[in-house]
Amino acid sequence: MAKLFNRAKMNTSTTGTGTMTLTSADTGFQTFAAAGVSNGDVVTYVIEEGTNWEIGTGTYSSSGTSLTRTPSESSGGGSAITLGGNAKVFISSLADDFGKLQSGGATKIVAAAGGVEITGNVVISGNVDGRNISGDGTKLDGVASSADVTATAISALPTVTSLSGSDIIPVITGAGVKKATITNAALQGPTGPTGPQGNSVTGPTGPTGPTGSQGNSVTGPTGPTGSRGPTGPTGSRGPTGPTGPTGNSQTGYNSVGSYAIMKRTGISSGLSPNSNYSGSSIEFTGFNQLQTWQSTHDNWNNGPQGSGTWRSMASVGGFSNWYAAGLFVRIS
């Protein structure tokens, strides 16, 4: 269905049977654009020029302000009439349109011979034949799509021969339909009638038996002390401990870990054991010098100096406020 607009009628100077170019609005009417027609809209038009007329549908173009022509009825037997340049064209509805209801040019409701045809969803806020469709319809929301709940469908279900107390069955109550397990449904059944009372028969009392004799309490002698058991075997030897670190004793001259007899000059207080001295403050000496140190101590000034750091390994007193000699080890 084409779109409808109010009081849209325009003049055209087009000649022939082709697309019309629209010019100005006719007196007392408005242009298609002013009536709200948009580019590409399809409308139902009526053309009048003298005694000639044409009814059809056309597509409006805002560029060039034109309207195509697809006639459905005309004074020319249904064909497009030949325009002479003085025609008027307006938007109208057809007799067939009154059996339709549109929205934005799309037909939503059609009155047909068999009833009413509806396209799209139907939203109802009130009742239909006294029934609230919106409220009652929610009762169907939980039914699975294409579900069959007829007696025929139930009869078609397979018959089983084994059931468990946890199987679910429907239960109809005054409040509606509920579900329950077979066990719970059985527990809710009516109480059965009281069974007949049986006959109580008491048998004769038997004779009293004789009293048994009292036993004698006898404490046996204490048994001998058992012999001492053998000594258990010696336990296995534990694992060998890790090997200790290798020492850094060296025999190289003036190397870390090496020992030497050295002197320290210019002192009278001697050397303290386990004291560290800079190698530049002590000198190497030899046996020949040791022989003559008391009388010719000046010869001690000629020894080479040590390197690194040395540690005194003995306690030695000073001589004549001049020097002290002893055993040293280089530690760095």
Side-chain angles (χ1 to χ4, degrees), residues 91-118:
I91 297 174
S92 180
S93 58
L94 304 178
D96 185 56
D97 291 338
F98 290 98
K100 302 175 182 179
L101 183 63
Q102 71 162 339
S103 175
T107 301
K108 298 297 182 180
I109 301 177
V110 177
V116 178
E117 298 175 356
I118 300 176

Short mmCIF file of all heavy atoms in Angstrom, two decimals, residues 91-118:
data_model
loop_
_atom_site.label_atom_id
_atom_site.label_comp_id
_atom_site.label_asym_id
_atom_site.label_seq_id
_atom_site.Cartn_x
_atom_site.Cartn_y
_atom_site.Cartn_z
N ILE A 91 -2.12 13.58 -4.51
CA ILE A 91 -2.05 12.31 -3.79
C ILE A 91 -3.43 11.98 -3.27
O ILE A 91 -4.11 12.83 -2.67
CB ILE A 91 -1.04 12.38 -2.63
CG1 ILE A 91 0.38 12.65 -3.18
CG2 ILE A 91 -1.05 11.09 -1.81
CD1 ILE A 91 1.41 12.87 -2.10
N SER A 92 -3.88 10.73 -3.49
CA SER A 92 -5.22 10.33 -3.08
C SER A 92 -5.20 8.88 -2.62
O SER A 92 -4.20 8.17 -2.77
CB SER A 92 -6.19 10.50 -4.27
OG SER A 92 -7.50 10.11 -3.91
N SER A 93 -6.31 8.47 -2.04
CA SER A 93 -6.48 7.06 -1.68
C SER A 93 -7.41 6.40 -2.66
O SER A 93 -8.21 7.08 -3.33
CB SER A 93 -7.04 6.94 -0.26
OG SER A 93 -8.29 7.62 -0.17
N LEU A 94 -7.34 5.06 -2.75
CA LEU A 94 -8.20 4.30 -3.64
C LEU A 94 -9.30 3.64 -2.84
O LEU A 94 -9.23 3.51 -1.61
CB LEU A 94 -7.38 3.24 -4.38
CG LEU A 94 -6.17 3.76 -5.19
CD1 LEU A 94 -5.43 2.59 -5.84
CD2 LEU A 94 -6.62 4.77 -6.24
N ALA A 95 -10.33 3.17 -3.55
CA ALA A 95 -11.43 2.49 -2.86
C ALA A 95 -10.93 1.26 -2.13
O ALA A 95 -11.40 0.93 -1.03
CB ALA A 95 -12.50 2.11 -3.90
N ASP A 96 -9.90 0.61 -2.72
CA ASP A 96 -9.36 -0.60 -2.09
C ASP A 96 -8.64 -0.28 -0.78
O ASP A 96 -8.48 -1.12 0.09
CB ASP A 96 -8.41 -1.30 -3.07
CG ASP A 96 -7.91 -2.61 -2.54
OD1 ASP A 96 -8.74 -3.48 -2.20
OD2 ASP A 96 -6.67 -2.79 -2.46
N ASP A 97 -8.17 0.96 -0.64
CA ASP A 97 -7.41 1.34 0.57
C ASP A 97 -8.28 1.36 1.82
O ASP A 97 -7.78 1.25 2.94
CB ASP A 97 -6.78 2.72 0.38
CG ASP A 97 -5.66 2.71 -0.66
OD1 ASP A 97 -5.12 1.61 -0.92
OD2 ASP A 97 -5.35 3.78 -1.21
N PHE A 98 -9.60 1.54 1.66
CA PHE A 98 -10.46 1.64 2.83
C PHE A 98 -10.67 0.30 3.54
O PHE A 98 -11.24 0.25 4.62
CB PHE A 98 -11.81 2.25 2.42
CG PHE A 98 -11.71 3.69 2.05
CD1 PHE A 98 -11.62 4.08 0.73
CD2 PHE A 98 -11.66 4.67 3.03
CE1 PHE A 98 -11.50 5.42 0.37
CE2 PHE A 98 -11.54 6.02 2.68
CZ PHE A 98 -11.46 6.39 1.35
N GLY A 99 -10.22 -0.76 2.93
CA GLY A 99 -10.26 -2.06 3.60
C GLY A 99 -8.93 -2.42 4.23
O GLY A 99 -8.71 -3.56 4.63
N LYS A 100 -8.02 -1.45 4.31
CA LYS A 100 -6.67 -1.70 4.83
C LYS A 100 -6.32 -0.66 5.90
O LYS A 100 -6.87 0.44 5.90
CB LYS A 100 -5.64 -1.63 3.70
CG LYS A 100 -5.88 -2.60 2.57
CD LYS A 100 -4.89 -2.39 1.44
CE LYS A 100 -5.17 -3.31 0.27
NZ LYS A 100 -4.23 -3.10 -0.85
N LEU A 101 -5.41 -1.06 6.78
CA LEU A 101 -4.87 -0.15 7.79
C LEU A 101 -3.36 -0.20 7.68
O LEU A 101 -2.76 -1.28 7.75
CB LEU A 101 -5.31 -0.56 9.20
CG LEU A 101 -4.86 0.37 10.34
CD1 LEU A 101 -5.46 1.76 10.17
CD2 LEU A 101 -5.25 -0.21 11.69
N GLN A 102 -2.74 0.98 7.44
CA GLN A 102 -1.31 1.02 7.21
C GLN A 102 -0.59 1.78 8.32
O GLN A 102 -1.20 2.55 9.06
CB GLN A 102 -1.01 1.66 5.86
CG GLN A 102 -1.28 3.16 5.84
CD GLN A 102 -0.60 3.87 4.69
OE1 GLN A 102 0.37 3.34 4.15
NE2 GLN A 102 -1.09 5.04 4.32
N SER A 103 0.73 1.56 8.36
CA SER A 103 1.62 2.33 9.25
C SER A 103 2.89 2.59 8.48
O SER A 103 3.63 1.66 8.14
CB SER A 103 1.92 1.55 10.53
OG SER A 103 2.87 2.23 11.33
N GLY A 104 3.15 3.87 8.17
CA GLY A 104 4.35 4.22 7.43
C GLY A 104 4.39 3.61 6.04
O GLY A 104 5.47 3.30 5.55
N GLY A 105 3.24 3.44 5.40
CA GLY A 105 3.20 2.86 4.07
C GLY A 105 3.15 1.35 4.06
O GLY A 105 2.97 0.74 3.00
N ALA A 106 3.28 0.69 5.22
CA ALA A 106 3.22 -0.76 5.31
C ALA A 106 1.84 -1.18 5.80
O ALA A 106 1.35 -0.68 6.81
CB ALA A 106 4.30 -1.29 6.25
N THR A 107 1.19 -2.12 5.07
CA THR A 107 -0.14 -2.57 5.44
C THR A 107 -0.06 -3.52 6.63
O THR A 107 0.68 -4.50 6.60
CB THR A 107 -0.80 -3.29 4.25
OG1 THR A 107 -0.88 -2.38 3.15
CG2 THR A 107 -2.20 -3.76 4.62
N LYS A 108 -0.81 -3.23 7.70
CA LYS A 108 -0.80 -4.03 8.91
C LYS A 108 -2.07 -4.86 9.06
O LYS A 108 -2.01 -5.99 9.54
CB LYS A 108 -0.63 -3.13 10.14
CG LYS A 108 0.68 -2.36 10.17
CD LYS A 108 1.88 -3.29 10.23
CE LYS A 108 3.19 -2.53 10.31
NZ LYS A 108 4.36 -3.43 10.36
N ILE A 109 -3.24 -4.32 8.65
CA ILE A 109 -4.52 -5.03 8.80
C ILE A 109 -5.27 -4.95 7.46
O ILE A 109 -5.37 -3.86 6.86
CB ILE A 109 -5.39 -4.44 9.92
CG1 ILE A 109 -4.63 -4.52 11.26
CG2 ILE A 109 -6.72 -5.17 10.02
CD1 ILE A 109 -5.39 -3.89 12.42
N VAL A 110 -5.79 -6.10 6.99
CA VAL A 110 -6.56 -6.15 5.75
C VAL A 110 -7.88 -6.85 6.05
O VAL A 110 -7.90 -7.94 6.65
CB VAL A 110 -5.79 -6.92 4.65
CG1 VAL A 110 -6.65 -7.02 3.39
CG2 VAL A 110 -4.46 -6.23 4.35
N ALA A 111 -8.99 -6.21 5.63
CA ALA A 111 -10.31 -6.83 5.76
C ALA A 111 -10.51 -7.74 4.55
O ALA A 111 -10.67 -7.26 3.42
CB ALA A 111 -11.39 -5.76 5.83
N ALA A 112 -10.43 -9.06 4.77
CA ALA A 112 -10.55 -10.03 3.68
C ALA A 112 -11.89 -10.74 3.77
O ALA A 112 -12.64 -10.59 4.75
CB ALA A 112 -9.40 -11.03 3.75
N ALA A 113 -12.18 -11.54 2.75
CA ALA A 113 -13.46 -12.24 2.71
C ALA A 113 -13.58 -13.23 3.87
O ALA A 113 -14.67 -13.45 4.41
CB ALA A 113 -13.61 -12.97 1.38
N GLY A 114 -12.48 -13.83 4.27
CA GLY A 114 -12.53 -14.82 5.34
C GLY A 114 -12.37 -14.25 6.72
O GLY A 114 -12.37 -14.98 7.71
N GLY A 115 -12.17 -12.94 6.84
CA GLY A 115 -11.98 -12.32 8.16
C GLY A 115 -10.97 -11.20 8.07
O GLY A 115 -10.88 -10.50 7.06
N VAL A 116 -10.19 -11.05 9.12
CA VAL A 116 -9.19 -9.99 9.19
C VAL A 116 -7.80 -10.61 9.16
O VAL A 116 -7.50 -11.53 9.92
CB VAL A 116 -9.37 -9.15 10.48
CG1 VAL A 116 -8.29 -8.06 10.56
CG2 VAL A 116 -10.75 -8.52 10.51
N GLU A 117 -6.94 -10.09 8.27
CA GLU A 117 -5.57 -10.57 8.18
C GLU A 117 -4.66 -9.52 8.82
O GLU A 117 -4.73 -8.33 8.46
CB GLU A 117 -5.18 -10.79 6.73
CG GLU A 117 -6.03 -11.85 6.03
CD GLU A 117 -5.71 -11.96 4.55
OE1 GLU A 117 -4.87 -11.15 4.08
OE2 GLU A 117 -6.29 -12.82 3.87
N ILE A 118 -3.84 -9.95 9.79
CA ILE A 118 -2.99 -9.03 10.55
C ILE A 118 -1.53 -9.39 10.31
O ILE A 118 -1.14 -10.56 10.39
CB ILE A 118 -3.31 -9.11 12.06
CG1 ILE A 118 -4.77 -8.72 12.32
CG2 ILE A 118 -2.37 -8.19 12.86
CD1 ILE A 118 -5.19 -8.87 13.76
#
